Amino acid sequence: MTSFRYSQLFLVFVFCGLTFITYSINQADFAHSREQELTKYTASIATQSNWQGNGKALYQHLTTSFNFQFFQYIDTNDSDNSFTHGKLLAESRSIIKNIYQIDIPLTRTLANGRLQVKLAIDKELTAVSNRFQYQLLLIWGTFLLISVFNVLLAALHAKKLRYSCKIIDDLPNFTFHAIQKSKLKGEFTPLAKVLESCQSNLKAKVDEFNDAHEKLTRVAFQDPVTGFGTRAKFTEKLNEICLPNSQQLGVLAIVRATELAVINQLHGREAGDDYLTRIANHIRKSLVKSPNAYFYRISTADFALILPDISLKDGTTIIEELKVAFDEYQQNLGTDSVAYIGLCPYLQGCDPVSLMTLADTAVSIAQTLGPNSFHVQQKLSGDELFGDSRWKIAIDDILKRKAIKFYAQPIRPCRTNIESYRELLSRFYNDQGKFLPTTTVIAMAERHGMSEELDKLVILKTLSTLINMPSLTGLFGINISSSSANQESFVAWLKNILVRQRHLAARLVFEVSESGMQTNLSATYHFINEVHSVGARVSIERFGLGFTSFKFFKDVRPDFIKLDGSYTRGIISDTHNQFFVKMIIDIARKLMIKVIATSVENQQEKLAMEQLLLDGLQGYYIAKPTPLITVSKSEKLK
């Protein structure tokens, strides 16, 4: 309201100035009239300068023409002729009359005496004061009207400003009001337009930020491959259903996609993502009758399903439908399995850690029951590692029953003078004849320190197969773990077995991963030297991932190196990849080492690799793994 105060102050100055001007004009008019009266009196008294009569007579003579406030004649010769009338000092008057008061006593010496008068001004003074009073009333009445108008206008502006401020104050709270233009008319119309535009633009920005936030939320809390929630969202939901006052019940299921690592290795990450997407789609379709279900991807190959407000029986029915879908997908995928499922019930107040242990135990047990199996675990057995313990029992059973079958995948040579081999892929099965996930079996064997026994079983089974099937010719590759290859006791056992079967040892190629062999170079040298000493050969698989690859195979001198599948997948368009492969081939040729490309999946990759003059090709486009038929007769090797 500073402008209002300034305007009022300006009006006060203006009207004070008007008042002063009016006063000055009236004062000048009044002074002029008095001056004329004095001039007339002066002229009249001049004719009486030789007056020698009575003072009273003089007074009576002069009053016919003038009004006196005070009249005094003092005769110097005869005091009887002296005469005094009126008062020299005027009676009290109003303030306005006082400001126009002009008291000018006039003294005149006559022939025989002295005359002192003071002319009366009451009539003129009253007239001028009345006129000035009227003018003051008019001036300050106008001031009052203007001030009242200004006050009302300022109040109206203040009201509009408060309304505008309220709208602006609500903007940070993202509260958008419809602008009432009737409240912001006149000079406030531009402000109404600006506020409306500001609200519109801010709302558009807020919507834009909300969209961006939603996208970021999806990135942070939604898996980009499957569209399921992330582990963070699962943890939040798990804690919610486990609250003491949640009053929730339902079923928790864990789906483990055990073939992801194999598919990534053989076909690339795009194929692995497609595999996970297909599993996610099967989960959605199977749970379409449970609209309240929640889906999460909680790790690389694990999914979590929360099915609220259903019984364990109904949950089992849903999971059975999901297993059927997995079985159908397995036929198209061509793998040992698709995924395994473990499920358990939950109630309010349950412990999240115990619930996850229960579900993990269930899925671990399911993996020992055959392809795409599921298992229901209603309560803990008291052993939190029950699932792992179950795997130890399952692997012991595999070793005891020698429950292993072979699939063979050939490596096609690129030239006629190149000797190649077929890779034997181990498949383990349970006591019901159902295949178990190979990668899980191997991982669990390493966890329980049983990988060496498992590798021995694979080697003995291979030798038995070659002995009992003399029709099988050529070289055969056997996968063994790098941990076994680095154990002196295992290498001594292997050499002893191969010495007794030298005619078969020359047909074996032991495949070991490069990363595992680089961890202990001295043990690697020993393993390769001992294998070579009995006529067998060594192939380093997944070659090229380590930084010391060139120095490694230069010093170790394996018989074969199998390039990691990532080189094949990028060979067509990646010139750096082509250069690296050419360099490997050039160095390998000088060292008499054969180079094999893996994960060849299409004609373009095959032609590109052949143009680079590799020694052999392996992949689903070349040949898929097929069962190696064995006879029932077996020979026990010691």
Side-chain angles (χ1 to χ4, degrees):
M1 300 298 291
T2 303
S3 59
F4 170 71
R5 295 192 186 97
Y6 287 153
S7 65
Q8 285 296 101
L9 185 60
F10 175 73
L11 286 176
V12 169
F13 286 141
V14 170
F15 280 87
C16 285
L18 289 175
T19 302
F20 178 75
I21 292 171
T22 303
Y23 166 75
S24 299
I25 293 173
N26 288 332
Q27 177 73 10
D29 290 343
F30 181 63
H32 179 68
S33 65
R34 294 306 301 143
E35 187 176 325
Q36 288 179 339
E37 186 72 14
L38 288 174
T39 302
K40 182 181 177 183
Y41 169 75
T42 302
S44 177
I45 200 64
T47 62
Q48 307 297 330
S49 60
N50 296 321
W51 178 267
Q52 297 178 3
N54 191 312
K56 183 176 181 181
L58 181 59
Y59 170 74
Q60 291 175 346
H61 172 72
L62 291 176
T63 53
T64 58
S65 300
F66 305 100
N67 293 321
F68 296 100
Q69 176 186 325
F70 176 75
F71 183 92
Q72 185 181 51
Y73 175 74
I74 301 174
D75 195 300
T76 56
N77 298 323
D78 188 359
S79 60
D80 291 336
N81 289 332
S82 298
F83 178 78
T84 301
H85 177 79
K87 296 179 180 180
L88 183 61
L89 297 177
E91 297 179 356
S92 60
R93 301 186 181 97
S94 64
I95 297 175
I96 294 178
K97 288 184 177 181
N98 286 333
I99 65 175
Y100 284 105
Q101 178 67 45
I102 301 178
D103 292 328
I104 306 176
L106 298 174
T107 303
R108 185 84 175 198
T109 303
L110 301 180
N112 294 325
R114 182 173 58 88
L115 177 63
Q116 182 178 6
V117 300
K118 187 174 185 180
L119 297 175
I121 59 171
D122 289 340
K123 184 178 179 180
E124 294 83 356
L125 185 59
T126 300
V128 73
S129 63
N130 288 340
R131 184 170 68 249
F132 184 58
Q133 187 173 355
Y134 172 76
Q135 290 171 341
L136 286 180
L137 181 63
L138 184 63
I139 291 173
W140 290 102
T142 304
F143 171 78
L144 181 61
L145 289 176
I146 295 175
S147 298
V148 170
F149 177 77
N150 278 346
V151 169
L152 295 176
L153 185 62
L156 180 61
H157 284 189
K159 182 179 179 181
K160 293 181 178 180
L161 285 174
R162 285 194 297 271
Y163 176 71
S164 303
C165 291
K166 183 179 183 303
I167 294 175
I168 296 173
D169 189 52
D170 286 338
L171 289 180
N173 301 324
F174 306 116
T175 303
F176 304 108
H177 303 284
I179 304 297
Q180 299 182 26
K181 295 184 179 179
S182 61
K183 292 186 177 183
L184 296 175
K185 295 188 296 184
E187 66 273 20
F188 282 87
T189 301
L191 178 60
K193 293 181 179 179
V194 170
L195 287 176
E196 193 170 25
S197 175
C198 182
Q199 284 194 151
S200 177
N201 293 335
L202 182 58
K203 189 175 185 304
K205 284 293 183 182
V206 169
D207 292 340
E208 182 181 338
F209 289 145
N210 287 337
D211 291 340
H213 178 265
E214 185 177 350
K215 291 179 181 178
L216 290 175
T217 301
R218 284 197 297 269
V219 172
F221 298 108
Q222 183 174 321
D223 178 59
V225 176
T226 63
F228 286 1
T230 60
R231 186 176 183 86
K233 296 297 289 183
F234 169 70
T235 302
E236 180 181 328
K237 185 63 180 177
L238 185 65
N239 291 331
E240 177 187 331
I241 66 176
C242 292
L243 290 174
N245 300 323
S246 63
Q247 296 182 351
Q248 297 190 44
L249 58 88
V251 174
L252 170 64
I254 299 294
V255 179
R256 184 159 294 162
T258 54
E259 300 302 307
L260 178 62
V262 175
I263 293 175
N264 281 340
Q265 180 179 353
L266 296 178
H267 306 290
R269 291 193 177 277
E270 290 185 4
D273 289 346
D274 180 68
Y275 161 69
L276 294 175
T277 302
R278 293 285 296 273
I279 290 178
N281 291 337
H282 285 304
I283 291 174
R284 288 190 182 95
K285 291 179 181 178
S286 299
L287 274 68
V288 69
K289 296 180 181 179
S290 301
N292 296 326
Y294 298 90
F295 314 116
Y296 305 94
R297 185 183 178 191
I298 59 176
S299 67
T300 304
D302 285 355
F303 301 92
L305 316 178
I306 295 179
L307 314 178
D309 304 323
I310 67 171
S311 63
L312 185 59
K313 181 179 178 181
D314 294 335
T316 303
T317 302
I318 294 173
I319 296 304
E320 287 176 348
E321 296 177 1
L322 182 58
K323 180 187 182 308
V324 172
F326 285 166
D327 289 339
E328 293 175 356
Y329 178 36
Q330 181 186 352
Q331 301 301 319
N332 299 326
L333 190 62
T335 57
D336 295 339
S337 63
V338 171
Y340 296 85
I341 311 167
L343 64 159
C344 62
Y346 67 81
L347 296 171
Q348 67 179 81
C350 55
D351 177 54
V353 176
S354 299
L355 188 61
M356 282 301 297
T357 301
L358 200 63
D360 188 67
T361 297
V363 73
S364 296
I365 294 174
Q367 289 179 256
T368 67
L369 302 178
N372 309 320
S373 295
F374 69 91
H375 178 75
V376 179
Q377 190 77 19
Q378 298 192 44
K379 59 181 180 179
L380 290 173
S381 64
D383 183 4
E384 293 185 358
L385 299 178
F386 184 78
D388 285 352
S389 300
R390 180 65 177 258
W391 269 111
K392 186 175 186 304
I393 296 173
I395 296 173
D396 280 334
D397 180 66
I398 291 172
L399 295 173
K400 181 179 179 181
R401 293 185 297 104
K402 298 181 175 59
I404 182 174
K405 294 181 180 179
F406 290 119
Y407 279 60
Q409 185 178 28
I411 298 172
R412 179 182 296 177
C414 293
R415 298 189 300 277
T416 55
N417 62 337
I418 297 298
E419 185 179 22
S420 187
Y421 65 92
R422 284 176 284 180
E423 181 179 357
L424 294 181
L425 305 174
S426 303
R427 298 291 184 267
F428 307 98
Y429 55 90
N430 60 15
D431 54 1
Q432 298 177 1
K434 297 180 179 179
F435 283 117
L436 303 177
T438 304
T439 54
T440 306
V441 171
I442 294 173
M444 289 298 174
E446 291 182 355
R447 177 179 296 184
H448 292 286
M450 305 173 72
S451 58
E452 187 174 332
E453 296 300 321
L454 202 62
D455 287 335
K456 289 181 180 179
L457 173 63
V458 172
I459 293 170
L460 293 175
K461 190 71 173 181
T462 300
L463 293 174
S464 297
T465 301
L466 295 178
I467 291 174
N468 294 318
M469 298 186 68
S471 60
L472 291 177
T473 59
L475 304 181
F476 289 90
I478 305 174
N479 286 281
I480 63 173
S481 65
S482 56
S483 61
S484 297
N486 290 331
Q487 295 293 327
E488 291 187 8
S489 57
F490 175 82
V491 175
W493 172 88
L494 177 61
K495 182 177 181 180
N496 182 47
I497 289 292
L498 296 180
V499 166
R500 294 164 55 188
Q501 303 290 339
R502 281 186 176 273
H503 63 291
L504 296 179
R507 297 174 58 191
L508 298 180
V509 179
F510 293 96
E511 294 193 1
V512 191
S513 69
E514 178 197 18
S515 59
M517 298 301 284
Q518 286 188 13
T519 58
N520 191 337
L521 289 179
S522 61
T524 299
Y525 299 149
H526 177 69
F527 168 75
I528 293 178
N529 289 334
E530 293 298 284
V531 169
H532 282 166
S533 67
V534 294
R537 308 177 196 188
V538 176
S539 177
I540 304 298
E541 62 175 354
R542 305 200 68 180
F543 183 83
L545 292 181
F547 292 106
T548 60
S549 296
F550 290 110
K551 183 179 187 304
F552 172 73
F553 81 89
K554 176 179 177 297
D555 295 340
V556 173
R557 299 291 182 93
D559 302 282
F560 301 90
I561 56 173
K562 298 174 74 173
L563 297 177
D564 184 74
S566 59
Y567 292 106
T568 302
R569 289 188 290 273
I571 198 65
I572 298 174
S573 58
D574 192 342
T575 56
H576 296 287
N577 207 11
Q578 295 173 9
F579 174 78
F580 191 75
V581 172
K582 287 180 182 178
M583 186 166 53
I584 292 176
I585 295 172
D586 183 58
I587 297 175
R589 287 276 169 79
K590 294 178 181 179
L591 298 174
M592 302 300 291
I593 299 173
K594 297 179 178 62
V595 182
I596 299 170
T598 62
S599 301
V600 180
E601 304 296 330
N602 53 57
Q603 178 72 10
Q604 291 79 7
E605 292 175 349
K606 173 180 177 294
L607 293 177
M609 286 299 186
E610 288 177 342
Q611 291 175 358
L612 292 174
L613 302 178
L614 272 84
D615 297 300
L617 304 176
Q618 183 182 22
Y620 272 47
Y621 182 77
I622 305 302
K624 294 183 179 181
T626 56
L628 185 68
I629 301 175
T630 60
V631 297
S632 57
K633 179 181 177 182
S634 63
E635 179 177 346
K636 186 175 182 181
L637 299 174
K638 297 184 181 179

